[in-house]
Amino acid sequence: MASEAPRDKDDAAKGTPAERAAAAEHTAAEERAEALRREIAHHDYRYYALDAPEISDDAYDALVRELREIEERWPDLVTPDSPTQRIGAPPSAQFAPVAHSQRMYSLDNAMDLGELDAWLRRVRDAVGERECAFICELKIDGSSLALVYEEGVLTRAATRGDGRTGEDVTVNVRTIRDVPLRLREEAASSGPLPLPIEVRGEVYMPKASFERLNEANIEAEVAPFANPRNAAAGSVRQKDPAVTASRDLATFMYQVLDPRRLGLARQSEALDWLKAAGFRVNPDVVTCASAQEVRDLCASAVNRRNELPYEIDGVVVKLDSFALQDELGYTSKAPRWAIAFKFPPEEKTTVLRNIRVQVGRTGALTPLAEFDPVSVAGSTIARATLHNADEVRRKDVRVGDTIVVRKAGDVIPEVVGPVLGMRPEDAEEWRMPEECPSCGGPVWRPEDEAVARCTNVGCPAQRLERLEHWASRGA
């Protein structure tokens, strides 16, 4: 049975020796629990925000384990911002709507350097002869979040939704390890914090985590996510917070609402405040003094995207001064003081050599395009799923075609379609085989499904896939 704190300390002081000893033990545990929370928060900040850990994983785990043991013995010592409470809520049946205190705007896009130059000229014309610095931030290919802190403690997390109303995903966001449950004391260095404080940014899934998740989905014959952005958005909206916790999500925060309440005059200052408060801020942020510097940075950023451990799809360019931002204001859809320079998708041509049919553990038959190896978005690919017969027919790809390939979300190999002008005269339309390529058994496709299946449960390919699934981590 868990120990309970004395109801009244004065009574405890006058109680029996056993009661006084229990009260002293509880007080010592309370002080130790608070010290552990501060120490764990410090190491979280060093690990996630600064990427400079001071202790080993084993030592960190020992601190968390000690705190959990204290809280299990004295449940009254559990606090909402305790690191043991990142996964503590039951699964949710739905996500309640959240009205944003201020609209979460989208950004206008510059699809090439010409459109970027036009925007830079408009900004320069509006600003005139005044000093005009820009801040350039990598555009993370993730999902937007708004976090609210009251008295320094995370009280609400919401998705962007339609920009005016989002969904409450607080219990899930609490499981993301780099989201501080309590702001660091350094955040109040300039004075008491106004209430509440809202910060905004992106939740994303690192490339390595995305690849592991899709590998597990494919093993389980679950449709893989199309790109890390969809994977991140879907993971934040899981009904079970434990599933969100298992997805290895991360965040970059980039906005403080009403920053001048904190004495901040520039976006660069806001980013410094966010980092001091305990948030992860993208390290690849550059302040540019001129339009030419902005242009050069955007042109060069395209070549860096494959080196990063997370997906980016462009560069966000903003006026650094909040006073100038206010002066330029907004259109009905987007701020006039910011723009997203979007990267062009990387596509390559190659020759389709074969369409091979794979048999999964449930008998599902999946056509797989096999083509001459080609380097796309930083890696060499030679195969891509075509999903089902309807997809092959829709894209009209045939063996021998010169095809255009890319990576969906710059990660998953994808066949865009054929170059019809280069199609061989003898290229024939592909059809799903009527017999299983593994066992020769009959292939059946229900009328209301897109997937054809081998009906032989003893099929060698199915047996092998079932065995591999049974021995896998996911099973």
Side-chain angles (χ1 to χ4, degrees), residues 423-467:
R423 169 166 287 171
E425 293 182 0
D426 59 348
E428 297 181 359
E429 184 178 350
W430 183 86
R431 296 183 181 279
M432 180 68 73
E434 297 180 356
E435 297 181 349
C436 173
S438 175
C439 69
V443 171
W444 175 62
R445 175 181 171 180
E447 292 183 1
D448 58 345
E449 293 186 16
V451 177
R453 300 181 186 276
C454 168
T455 59
N456 176 18
V457 294
C459 172
Q462 292 185 54
R463 294 172 62 188
L464 177 60
E465 290 292 329
R466 286 198 294 269
L467 178 61

Side-chain angles (χ1 to χ4, degrees), residues 36-37 40 44 60 64 67 81-87 181:
L36 285 168
R37 291 188 194 105
I40 291 168
D44 283 343
Y60 177 89
V64 175
L67 176 60
D81 61 320
S82 174
T84 63
Q85 300 305 297
R86 285 193 179 273
I87 308 176
L181 301 180

Side-chain angles (χ1 to χ4, degrees), residues 104-107 137-147 158-160 173 176 178-179 199-206 228-230 232-233 236 249-255 274 279-282 310-313 316 318:
M104 294 183 73
Y105 283 88
S106 58
L107 294 177
E137 307 166 13
L138 296 181
K139 187 175 183 298
I140 311 302
D141 198 9
S143 183
S144 298
L145 280 182
L147 310 179
T159 63
R160 179 183 182 276
V173 169
I176 302 174
D178 64 14
V179 173
V199 302
R200 294 173 176 178
E202 293 285 314
V203 57
Y204 68 93
M205 184 173 287
R229 180 184 62 256
N230 289 354
V236 166
L249 297 174
T251 63
F252 282 129
M253 308 311 290
Y254 52 72
Q255 183 182 7
L274 285 166
F279 298 99
R280 285 189 76 222
V281 174
N282 192 291
Y310 48 84
E311 288 299 324
I312 61 173
D313 58 359
V316 176
K318 305 174 183 176

Side-chain angles (χ1 to χ4, degrees), residues 31 78 85 109 122 174 178 190 208 220 225 231 233 242 272 319 375:
E31 293 173 352
V78 178
Q85 300 305 297
N109 294 327
R122 289 197 299 271
R174 289 172 63 88
D178 64 14
S190 59
F225 285 101
D272 289 340
L319 277 172
S375 178

Side-chain angles (χ1 to χ4, degrees), residues 13 43 46 61 80 128 147 157 164 168 189 210 240 284 315 331 394 399 443:
H43 291 303
R46 297 286 307 182
D61 292 342
L147 310 179
R164 298 184 184 276
D168 190 327
S189 59
F210 176 70
D240 186 350
D284 290 301
V315 177
T331 67
R394 184 183 70 80
V399 174
V443 171

Side-chain angles (χ1 to χ4, degrees), residues 197-440:
I197 288 178
E198 182 171 339
V199 302
R200 294 173 176 178
E202 293 285 314
V203 57
Y204 68 93
M205 184 173 287
K207 291 178 182 177
S209 304
F210 176 70
E211 291 171 1
R212 287 194 297 269
L213 176 60
N214 268 350
E215 286 172 1
N217 282 350
I218 291 170
E219 281 186 11
E221 296 190 358
V222 175
F225 285 101
N227 52 56
R229 180 184 62 256
N230 289 354
S235 298
V236 166
R237 297 186 71 258
Q238 290 293 315
K239 293 182 178 180
D240 186 350
V243 175
T244 304
S246 71
R247 295 287 175 84
D248 193 25
L249 297 174
T251 63
F252 282 129
M253 308 311 290
Y254 52 72
Q255 183 182 7
V256 181
L257 232 58
D258 298 326
R260 272 157 294 195
R261 294 191 304 164
L262 298 169
L264 307 173
R266 296 179 176 275
Q267 171 67 6
S268 50
E269 295 175 1
L271 294 175
D272 289 340
W273 183 90
L274 285 166
K275 191 171 183 179
F279 298 99
R280 285 189 76 222
V281 174
N282 192 291
D284 290 301
V285 175
V286 179
T287 301
C288 298
S290 68
Q292 186 59 48
E293 289 183 20
V294 172
R295 193 182 194 283
D296 292 344
L297 185 141
C298 290
S300 64
V302 178
N303 301 322
R304 293 197 54 221
R305 62 191 307 194
N306 297 327
E307 304 170 2
L308 300 169
Y310 48 84
E311 288 299 324
I312 61 173
D313 58 359
V315 177
V316 176
V317 184
K318 305 174 183 176
L319 277 172
D320 193 24
S321 166
F322 291 141
L324 291 179
Q325 289 184 12
D326 289 345
E327 189 174 317
L328 267 66
Y330 297 79
T331 67
S332 60
K333 298 180 180 179
R336 293 187 176 92
W337 44 264
I339 199 165
F341 172 73
K342 298 297 290 287
F343 295 152
E346 184 179 9
E347 298 182 344
K348 296 289 183 67
T349 58
T350 184
V351 177
L352 179 62
R353 298 300 180 183
N354 187 28
I355 298 179
R356 180 167 61 87
V357 176
Q358 291 182 318
V359 184
R361 67 182 171 89
T362 63
L365 271 58
T366 302
L368 183 73
E370 297 181 335
F371 42 82
D372 291 342
V374 60
S375 178
V376 181
S379 64
T380 300
I381 60 174
R383 295 182 300 276
T385 180
L386 291 168
H387 302 291
N388 53 60
D390 290 346
E391 185 72 359
V392 177
R393 187 176 303 108
R394 184 183 70 80
K395 292 185 175 180
D396 188 25
V397 289
R398 307 180 185 185
V399 174
D401 274 344
T402 295
I403 57 174
V404 177
V405 296
R406 66 184 179 192
K407 287 186 178 178
D410 290 325
V411 176
I412 302 177
E414 175 187 26
V415 175
V416 178
V419 181
L420 294 177
M422 301 179 68
R423 169 166 287 171
E425 293 182 0
D426 59 348
E428 297 181 359
E429 184 178 350
W430 183 86
R431 296 183 181 279
M432 180 68 73
E434 297 180 356
E435 297 181 349
C436 173
S438 175
C439 69

